[in-house]
Amino acid sequence: MKQGFKQAKIYRPRPLWLGLALPFLLLQGTAAKAQQMPQRDSTGRVISTMPALLGDTVRVRLELQPDSLVAVPVTPGVIDSARLEWLRTPPTMRDLVCDRVGCFETEAPHQFNNSVMAYVTLFTARNRSYMQRVLERENLYFPIFEKYLAQYNLPIDLKYLAVVESALIPTAKSPVGATGLWQFMGPTAGDLRLKRDEWIDERMAPEKATEAACKHLRYLYGVFHDWELVLAAYNWGAGSVQRVMRRTGKKTFWDLYPHMPAETRNYVPTFTAIMYSMKYAEAHGLRTSTLRYQYAEPMDTLSLRGRAFDLRRLSRACGYEDSLYLTRFNPELRRAALPAGYRPYVVRFPAAAAVHFGDADRNTLLDYCQPATELPRPLAFLPPRLDGVEPWVNRSLLAATTGPRAEDAEAAPRFRRVPHKVKRGETLVSLAERFEVSQSQLRRWNELPKGRPLKPGRELVVFVPIPTAAPSKAVETVVVPTIAVAPATRVRPTVSDEEAAARREQAEANAREVARLQELARQEKLQDVRLAAIKQRQAVQQAAAEAQARIAARRLAQTQAAETKRSEAKTSVAAVVPEADETDEPTPATVAETGPYTVRKGDNLTKLAREHNVTVAQLMAWNKMSSTDVVLGQRLVFRAPAGAEEASEAPRKSTKSTALAAAAKPARTESRLGTPKVHLVQPGDTLFNISRRFGVSVQTLRELNHLASDEVKLGQKLLVPQG
């Protein structure tokens, strides 16, 4: 520093001409700058051509900020509403919102720009009532959303998507038909297995619709792998987004932003603004003490199982003055009632209201909730009537109006209603043959499930066709004479009203006669088909009987060779076993020597086994049966085949000797088998299956449980001896 000062003090002589010219140049430059007019740019701002003098604040020109409304004149044709809202927002507010949005730790879209800021201002300042209504329903639906989003491993903040779609209103419906909390269209709901009919729309069920939305979002993320594109595809459709991506070559939402419709462009900014507004609702003063917040409460359920139901009567039974109060807990119901025979449905109601039921059980409650009147049905379509024009005669018109065949149908019904109570041994096949109807008709008339046997004692309804009188051979068809009109005459001849009425009556009579003849022909064809089917069944049964006879003859020839051995065995056994025991317990070889037995009406396998002193298992083994069901006309044998008798001769001898030793002890069956065990009847269990499983006889189970028949019910408790 000292050396520098010393160097500055060194005197150096300057040229004389430079000292004389420098003041003159400074005076000329200052005068020229003072006379020069300031230049302005296209926006009106002054272009500074020289730097301001140091320390002279009067001549310093301050540049206006680029985001100021004063600097940039605002015209509607130059900028959009989002840009205008951005310019109107104070910079401090923009910076605060930008910092808060940037601090969101989520995978959901949260990019901040002028579009997001415009919607933040809308939800927090201009339309605060909308956000407050959403905050009232937040605690009711967000726990459901969070549960399913966590289950499907999706970002939890996607729960705000339902606010964008429906404002948390489960019954919301858009003008184009999107319905529910997640605003599903009909085809998308069908792909996601959401059922829809005239009674129930599961798009409005909160839990089912939320699970379907999670599946759909997971699928869209597997296609795009970008949450902003996923939200755009949720609104616009995956196919539309993919087409724009292929056409433009862009891969991100903000690159595709100009090529999307207005609704989809605003979808992602709206989502980000909703997420910010709900997270910072308290900072903006949206949460107040006057809001009516909704909370979830414990619920109870009532399963209908196909019974008719009226939700308004259940509301009154729960003690609510509003008869439609329970619809808020069952928003998927499109009507306040369900018809009889509808698919299984579960009604939800507050658990606190169950105290009003008292000691009433489920059946009593369902009987009280039956609809007071018949539920409304859609009216049949009737074509418009025009003066002078008769509508085309079709099936729907004949069914809805009194057509030419209506009088005949009322005068002579074609079917007769016959009630029938199912007896033991009757099957669907036997009933169809007896009443000359098909099995599908019996199932349809009585709503019988396919593949299940009939239960004895059930009431069935059968519509028996009434035979019609045979048509007369000489049927004369009345032909209405036609009036030939000359080609040159274009004037339509006038017809009196009486003649027109006569022609109309004649045409109706002809139509009725033709319909009657067609019906008679159809009845004859049906009768021929029935006779052919009966003949075919008889032929099959005859062939089966002949085959059974040939088999029985061959078995008889085989048993004659072993007759000597059996006689010797019987002689040795007779020396030990008393004659009374032989008569009480006949062997299968001494039963049904006359031949096979034909199953008749009312027979079943248990009854036949009891009559012939054999077991059900033996009958099934001898006849090679896979189940205990028998069919009318089936052939059964009550003795073992020849080979099986020889093979089982030795075990039979040991069994008889064991029976002799057991008969010497006067102990009861229950004491031999030990302490009984309780068995709960499961689906598909029969008394025969239970006896085989625990190694006891069917008769023992019946005696121990005091059963009058072999029928058991699901959930019934049976005592099974331990052996």
Side-chain angles (χ1 to χ4, degrees), residues 322-344:
D322 185 5
S323 60
L324 297 178
Y325 180 81
L326 293 182
T327 55
R328 67 184 65 184
F329 304 106
N330 304 274
E332 64 272 17
L333 287 177
R334 302 182 65 179
R335 304 183 183 181
L338 289 177
Y342 192 74
R343 58 186 175 86

Side-chain angles (χ1 to χ4, degrees), residues 130-193:
Y130 169 82
M131 187 55 58
Q132 289 178 340
R133 299 289 82 77
V134 172
L135 292 174
E136 289 179 347
R137 296 182 285 268
E138 173 187 5
N139 299 321
L140 182 60
Y141 294 107
F142 273 13
I144 301 176
F145 301 161
E146 293 171 357
K147 179 182 70 173
Y148 284 102
L149 288 171
Q151 178 180 345
Y152 285 88
N153 197 21
L154 298 175
I156 301 299
D157 286 334
L158 289 178
K159 61 187 178 181
Y160 300 106
L161 183 61
V163 181
V164 181
E165 290 287 351
S166 61
L168 300 184
I169 300 176
T171 57
K173 188 172 183 181
S174 68
V176 296
T179 308
L181 285 169
W182 299 90
Q183 292 291 287
F184 284 119
M185 296 293 291
T188 307
D191 295 340
L192 296 172
R193 302 294 191 272

Side-chain angles (χ1 to χ4, degrees), residues 3-59:
Q3 294 178 359
F5 282 112
K6 289 181 180 180
Q7 291 178 1
K9 294 180 180 179
I10 295 175
Y11 175 78
R12 291 183 180 181
R14 296 180 180 178
L16 183 60
W17 62 270
L18 183 61
L20 296 175
L22 183 58
F24 178 77
L25 292 175
L26 290 175
L27 293 175
Q28 292 293 333
T30 304
K33 293 296 181 180
Q35 295 177 0
Q36 186 177 0
M37 296 297 294
Q39 298 180 1
R40 300 179 181 273
D41 58 2
S42 60
T43 60
R45 292 184 297 180
V46 177
I47 300 176
S48 177
T49 56
M50 68 171 291
L53 298 178
L54 296 177
D56 190 357
T57 58
V58 178
R59 302 191 60 181

Side-chain angles (χ1 to χ4, degrees), residues 217-294:
L217 290 171
R218 184 178 61 178
Y219 159 74
L220 292 177
Y221 187 76
V223 174
F224 297 101
H225 299 284
D226 182 80
W227 284 114
E228 291 179 339
L229 292 178
V230 165
L231 296 186
Y234 190 91
N235 175 258
W236 196 22
S240 301
V241 176
Q242 288 175 332
R243 283 193 296 270
V244 172
M245 294 175 66
R246 288 193 298 266
R247 186 175 70 248
T248 60
K250 309 294 184 180
K251 300 298 181 182
T252 63
F253 172 79
W254 296 107
D255 293 338
L256 297 172
Y257 186 84
H259 307 281
M260 293 182 176
E263 181 181 354
T264 308
R265 284 201 305 265
N266 299 330
Y267 197 74
V268 174
T270 304
F271 173 81
T272 306
I274 287 287
M275 180 168 59
Y276 167 80
S277 301
M278 297 192 71
K279 284 180 178 292
Y280 290 93
E282 295 181 358
H284 291 275
L286 294 175
R287 296 184 184 274
T288 61
S289 59
T290 59
L291 298 182
R292 295 178 296 177
Y293 295 101
Q294 300 179 15

Side-chain angles (χ1 to χ4, degrees), residues 259-516:
H259 307 281
M260 293 182 176
E263 181 181 354
T264 308
R265 284 201 305 265
N266 299 330
Y267 197 74
V268 174
T270 304
F271 173 81
T272 306
I274 287 287
M275 180 168 59
Y276 167 80
S277 301
M278 297 192 71
K279 284 180 178 292
Y280 290 93
E282 295 181 358
H284 291 275
L286 294 175
R287 296 184 184 274
T288 61
S289 59
T290 59
L291 298 182
R292 295 178 296 177
Y293 295 101
Q294 300 179 15
Y295 297 93
E297 53 182 314
M299 304 300 295
D300 202 348
T301 58
L302 178 63
S303 179
L304 303 185
R305 300 178 184 175
R307 299 188 61 174
F309 180 77
D310 191 347
L311 192 64
R312 291 165 293 192
R313 296 184 65 85
L314 181 61
S315 298
R316 288 194 291 268
C318 292
Y320 299 113
E321 296 180 358
D322 185 5
S323 60
L324 297 178
Y325 180 81
L326 293 182
T327 55
R328 67 184 65 184
F329 304 106
N330 304 274
E332 64 272 17
L333 287 177
R334 302 182 65 179
R335 304 183 183 181
L338 289 177
Y342 192 74
R343 58 186 175 86
Y345 179 75
V346 177
V347 178
R348 304 172 73 248
F349 60 92
V355 298
H356 296 274
F357 301 156
D359 297 334
D361 57 353
R362 173 182 171 274
N363 293 328
T364 305
L365 184 59
L366 288 178
D367 292 340
Y368 175 78
C369 295
Q370 292 292 311
T373 58
E374 185 178 1
L375 296 178
R377 297 180 180 178
L379 298 177
F381 172 75
L382 292 178
R385 294 299 184 95
L386 301 178
D387 295 339
V389 178
E390 292 293 333
W392 290 98
V393 179
N394 51 21
R395 184 176 300 176
S396 60
L397 183 62
L398 290 176
T401 61
T402 56
R405 289 163 53 185
E407 298 178 359
D408 295 345
E410 294 176 358
R414 294 182 299 169
F415 294 93
R416 178 169 55 91
R417 183 188 180 98
V418 177
H420 177 75
K421 188 174 183 180
V422 179
K423 300 178 181 178
R424 184 178 297 276
E426 289 184 341
T427 61
L428 205 64
V429 178
S430 62
L431 291 178
E433 291 181 355
R434 175 181 175 183
F435 292 103
E436 297 184 355
V437 294
S438 63
Q439 301 180 34
S440 60
Q441 287 176 330
L442 282 177
R443 283 195 296 267
R444 184 171 65 254
W445 293 337
N446 299 277
E447 299 180 357
L448 299 175
K450 193 173 183 179
R452 293 186 181 180
L454 296 178
K455 293 184 178 180
R458 176 164 184 173
E459 292 287 344
L460 298 181
V461 176
V462 184
F463 294 92
V464 179
I466 299 176
T468 57
S472 58
K473 296 183 178 180
V475 178
E476 298 180 358
T477 58
V478 180
V479 180
V480 179
T482 58
I483 302 176
V485 181
T489 305
R490 294 188 178 180
V491 181
R492 186 174 181 179
T494 58
V495 181
S496 62
D497 296 340
E498 297 180 357
E499 186 176 355
R503 290 183 180 180
R504 195 179 301 109
E505 292 178 359
Q506 189 65 38
E508 293 177 357
N510 290 342
R512 288 195 296 270
E513 185 66 22
V514 170
R516 189 178 67 84

